[in-house]
Amino acid sequence: MRRPSFLARLAEAWRSLFGSARRTELRPEMSRARSPAAARRAPRPSASATEIFTPTRPRTARRKLVGRAPELARILDALRHDGAHVVLYSERGRGKTSLANLVATKLRAGGIVVVRHACEADSDYDTIFRALAADLPHTLVASAAGEEQWLPAGPLRPQDIADFANRLACPQLVCIIDEFDRVRDEGTRTRLADTIKLLSDTARPVQFMIVGVAATLEHIIGQHPSIQRNIVPVHLPLLSDAEITAMLVDGGREIGLTFGQQVILFVLGLARGMPYMAQLLGLRLSQSALNRGAGEVDATDLALCIDRMIDDAQSGIGLRYAEITSGARDRDMVLTLRAVATAPQDRFGCLQATRDGATATIDRQRVSVASVDRLLDGGILQPTADPTLLRIGDRPLMYHVLLLALRDSVATAAERARADRATDLQSLGAAAD
Ligand SMILES: Nc1ncnc2c1ncn2[C@@H]1O[C@H](COP(=O)(O)OP(=O)(O)O)[C@@H](O)[C@H]1O
Ligand SMILES: [Mg+2]
């Protein structure tokens, strides 16, 4: 039996939601007063929606992460016990900085000194190391000189850092360098690799955790075979559906809301494992429910949330979508984008795509190779080492495609539900006759 398509499944979910939530209709201006039944059902709030759902902020120790236990354990083992350096990488929004925050908290709780720096496009070896040194407590450097003289003047070299490590008055120092992908200067990558080699070879107690947006280890630190064995690479995967469900259910409990099962299904379908998107949907949906004075997030909130997110995207992504699809007239491109946006992905966001002549197949949907190639040219899809696997290179565009497709299917499902109701009424009328 053919598996129903992703959108068909969502539309079906919508239909049952809509059916079971007939009382809600799609009216945002619905009663603001919480019904006694809803109030009885709703848990007591202990925090606000913006405290719990944080799409624009990495998580800090105050707010729990869902999942990530295996990655946390691997990173802590590497830093605490193996004397290794860590490279944590993934696409944007998967939770690297949030995890780095948790790593820093755990290390500090165990008495390890941690310094941090987030790079910018014009950061280089010099600015990064001076910023890390400035983050060190004064008491930890055996030097009579002020902080600005801890490191020699002039361009820093790896040997300067090794010498500096000798003057540290702490048994272990971990330096977290975030957003390393932003650094444009290639020399910085080479010098950092040389520093890692020097520190590792001489067993000095300074370790790095390098964090950045990249699809492979080489993308972030460059090709440096000499340091491969000193590095533990951690490619951060997408969250599982169970983890995203936990994010919604636990978050909802803290703000006094429940997320119905069907709503959760929608969030899972839209977020596709991305914590950023799950947080954004969690926030928008709960704000909408709270505005209505409701204790449960339902179909009304979902419809409003989809509309709002499409509107929010209008300027940038909306234009890009219009350009790529020639204002949605290029049907093959519209279908290709839909196939890409809905195809099952592996834990690292890659999807199966095969080609045969002028036809490509993505998740059993046949599209033209020309459209796939255009997406590859534009970086919306990226090749991988495996010729049958493609990586999604533009998540915001994919979300837009999904939201548009969903709005269509929601409208269709709502119409169908209305038609069903009309039929119900007619048959009721007929029965009464
Ligand atoms: N494990 C997690 N549990 C809950 N929320 C998360 C988790 N990881 C990330 N987030 C949320 O996802 C968003 C992106 O996280 P962030 O750490 O900034 O990602 P990155 O550094 O990879 O771009 C933030 O809103 C953050 O609050
Ligand atoms: Mg980050």
Side-chain angles (χ1 to χ4, degrees):
M1 200 179 72
R2 188 164 153 61
R3 183 168 57 94
S5 77
F6 171 86
L7 285 174
R9 273 180 287 142
L10 279 190
E12 195 46 49
W14 176 267
R15 225 164 100 73
S16 54
L17 224 190
F18 199 79
S20 67
R22 282 185 182 176
R23 62 200 146 78
T24 65
E25 286 292 320
L26 291 181
R27 281 186 290 115
E29 70 284 4
M30 281 201 13
S31 143
R32 289 190 166 262
R34 186 179 281 198
S35 73
R40 261 199 314 279
R41 244 195 346 264
R44 257 181 184 295
S46 61
S48 71
T50 46
E51 281 175 286
I52 295 300
F53 293 112
T54 55
T56 54
R57 305 191 297 279
R59 304 296 265 189
T60 57
R62 283 189 51 238
R63 290 285 160 220
K64 201 168 89 198
L65 288 189
V66 297
R68 304 313 190 202
E71 291 79 19
L72 178 67
R74 214 156 81 237
I75 294 172
L76 291 178
D77 261 4
L79 294 172
R80 279 183 188 151
H81 307 305
D82 303 343
H85 307 266
V86 170
V87 179
L88 173 64
Y89 63 99
S90 76
E91 69 187 306
R92 192 175 308 288
R94 257 196 226 170
K96 297 177 295 300
T97 302
S98 302
L99 183 55
N101 288 343
L102 185 58
V103 168
T105 305
K106 295 274 179 199
L107 291 177
R108 284 177 181 141
I112 296 174
V113 180
V114 180
V115 290
R116 303 184 62 159
H117 178 62
C119 302
E120 288 165 18
D122 58 359
S123 300
D124 59 18
Y125 188 79
D126 220 74
T127 55
I128 293 171
F129 277 93
R130 289 186 196 282
L132 288 170
D135 203 22
L136 255 181
H138 282 231
T139 48
L140 294 182
V141 185
S143 164
E147 172 190 316
E148 54 295 342
Q149 282 153 40
W150 284 352
L151 292 165
L156 292 173
R157 298 160 308 136
Q159 188 58 50
D160 298 324
I161 304 306
D163 293 344
F164 181 67
N166 278 340
R167 286 189 282 130
L168 285 174
C170 56
Q172 192 179 2
L173 171 69
V174 172
C175 306
I176 301 182
I177 307 179
D178 199 354
E179 314 217 13
F180 192 61
D181 56 286
R182 298 186 66 192
V183 178
R184 285 191 300 243
D185 177 44
E186 268 312 305
T188 300
R189 288 197 164 66
T190 311
R191 266 178 281 169
L192 182 59
D194 291 345
T195 312
I196 288 177
K197 176 132 182 53
L198 198 57
L199 293 171
S200 307
D201 289 352
T202 52
R204 287 188 175 88
V206 177
Q207 287 154 280
F208 296 103
M209 174 163 160
I210 301 161
V211 182
V213 176
T216 66
L217 179 66
E218 289 71 32
H219 273 143
I220 182 121
I221 53 161
Q223 294 271 10
H224 300 286
S226 63
I227 56 164
Q228 299 275 343
R229 69 195 160 83
N230 306 117
I231 281 182
V232 172
V234 179
H235 190 179
L236 197 60
L238 294 166
L239 290 177
S240 70
D241 283 355
E243 287 161 347
I244 290 189
T245 304
M247 185 195 292
L248 295 174
V249 172
D250 296 351
R253 191 175 303 121
E254 288 195 68
I255 51 183
L257 279 176
T258 51
F259 284 82
Q261 254 192 350
Q262 302 290 357
V263 171
I264 290 176
L265 204 84
F266 265 82
V267 175
L268 296 179
L270 266 171
R272 310 227 318 141
M274 282 293 279
Y276 161 75
M277 190 58 169
Q279 292 280 355
L280 182 61
L281 288 163
L283 179 64
R284 293 272 181 271
L285 290 169
S286 19
Q287 283 173 330
S288 168
L290 292 171
N291 280 343
R292 294 188 300 114
E296 184 174 352
V297 178
D298 69 18
T300 316
D301 308 308
L302 210 40
L304 290 173
C305 176
I306 291 173
D307 280 346
R308 164 147 188 212
M309 288 172 75
I310 291 175
D311 287 347
D312 283 353
Q314 272 319 323
S315 52
I317 302 162
L319 281 178
R320 209 152 76 239
Y321 178 81
E323 201 176 305
I324 295 165
T325 59
S326 307
R329 286 185 305 280
D330 182 345
R331 289 311 291 170
D332 190 71
M333 186 50 92
V334 170
L335 293 179
T336 308
L337 283 170
R338 275 192 189 189
V340 170
T342 58
Q345 336 159 72
D346 65 15
R347 292 173 69 225
F348 296 105
C350 291
L351 44 101
Q352 288 278 346
T354 52
R355 357 177 120 210
D356 183 7
T359 308
T361 306
I362 296 174
D363 186 28
R364 283 180 274 181
Q365 299 180 59
R366 292 157 81 81
V367 293
S368 82
V369 161
S371 293
V372 174
D373 282 344
R374 269 186 62 207
L375 295 181
L376 280 162
D377 285 346
I380 293 160
L381 283 175
Q382 295 169 352
T384 67
D386 179 340
T388 66
L389 280 186
L390 294 177
R391 187 182 303 117
I392 293 175
D394 188 340
R395 286 266 172 203
L397 183 69
M398 290 305 130
Y399 288 137
H400 192 66
V401 170
L402 266 182
L403 287 165
L404 290 178
L406 208 51
R407 186 162 67 178
D408 286 354
S409 78
V410 161
T412 321
E415 270 159 28
R416 231 169 35 197
R418 265 194 290 277
D420 283 356
R421 245 175 304 168
T423 319
D424 286 353
L425 284 177
Q426 270 167 11
S427 45
L428 265 181
D433 285 343

